[in-house]
Amino acid sequence: AQSVTQLGSHVSVSEGALVLLRCNYSSSVPPYLFWYVQYPNQGLQLLLKYTSAATLVKGINGFEAEFKKSETSFHLTKPSAHMSDAAEYFCAVRENNFNKFYFGSGTKLNVKP
Amino acid sequence: GAGVSQSPSNKVTEKGKDVELRCDPISGHTALYWYRQSLGQGLEFLIYFQGNSAPDKSGLPSDRFSAERTGGSVSTLTIQRTQQEDSAVYLCASSSGRYLVDTIYFGEGSWLTVV
């Protein structure tokens, strides 16, 4: 069975500081990996996805994530946080079937001025 | 449509009443998902449709929950005899259903409050 672990339900950074949101998955095969963002009172929006074309994936709003097979990780980073990045971020994985799209429990990012 | 549309956006209902939540996926998308997001919780998978059939209903929390999809398009999630613990945001999502790498697009959700 697939599972996704996001370490840290809340992360707080200062504006301009590095953002690092952690995601680890368990899978017997390399999965498809996604990061979504949810702004307050809105639906989920795709930030980026890993499709095996490249291990470093660039997404919208300056975010990127690196797939590390040896660590079964897909951590999300942004070099410099902006106030508008405050939101909840979800990591998701999908194996070789359409049936389920597994989400982590989410990490709320707070950006301090 | 341009995006996944859900209605109602907000619903307050009395305990014991039935509710119906509607999802209109992106035109041409054959895969449709329902998730539940409770306060402070992650996303809980409820059910997946491919076309009109639901090969995976394993996430429905009880037999009070049911869902159908007609014409390969609109889906309705029905909750019978609602309980307070059903209060949550119900999210619908769709994708093309052709490739595993395809993006899943979400609607803005239906906020259900059971009083």
Side-chain angles (χ1 to χ4, degrees), chain A residues 9 14 18 24 35 65 92 96 105 107:
Chain A
S9 58
S14 297
L18 171 71
N24 288 87
W35 275 99
N96 294 325
S105 55
T107 299

Side-chain angles (χ1 to χ4, degrees), chain A residues 32 34 36 38 41-44 46 49-51 88 90 94-101 103-105, chain B residues 33 35 37 41-43 45 48 50 55-56 58 91 95 97-104 106-108 111:
Chain A
Y32 298 95
F34 303 74
Y36 280 82
Q38 186 178 34
N41 301 319
Q42 294 187 23
L44 276 75
L46 180 72
K49 60 182 177 182
Y50 168 71
T51 63
E88 189 160 19
F90 293 92
R94 172 190 259 165
E95 281 189 341
N96 294 325
N97 63 74
F98 283 100
N99 286 9
K100 288 183 185 177
F101 197 54
F103 283 87
S105 55
Chain B
Y33 306 78
Y35 288 85
Q37 187 176 25
Q41 303 293 314
L43 276 75
F45 168 80
Y48 157 73
Q50 181 63 261
D56 190 346
S58 64
L91 293 167
S95 73
R98 288 194 293 270
Y99 305 106
L100 292 169
V101 74
D102 286 345
T103 299
I104 293 183
F106 282 82
E108 299 210 343
W111 294 67

Side-chain angles (χ1 to χ4, degrees), chain B residues 31-100:
Chain B
L32 186 146
Y33 306 78
W34 283 99
Y35 288 85
R36 179 168 70 174
Q37 187 176 25
S38 303
L39 189 62
Q41 303 293 314
L43 276 75
E44 176 187 5
F45 168 80
L46 297 179
I47 190 168
Y48 157 73
F49 286 93
Q50 181 63 261
N52 289 337
S53 64
D56 190 346
K57 301 181 181 179
S58 64
L60 294 176
S62 76
D63 58 9
R64 295 187 295 105
F65 287 73
S66 63
E68 65 175 12
R69 188 179 186 193
T70 55
S73 181
V74 171
S75 175
T76 302
L77 177 68
T78 301
I79 309 172
Q80 294 179 310
R81 305 182 301 283
T82 52
Q83 303 294 312
Q84 287 185 330
E85 61 263 28
D86 299 333
S87 296
V89 180
Y90 290 82
L91 293 167
C92 178
S94 72
S95 73
S96 72
R98 288 194 293 270
Y99 305 106
L100 292 169

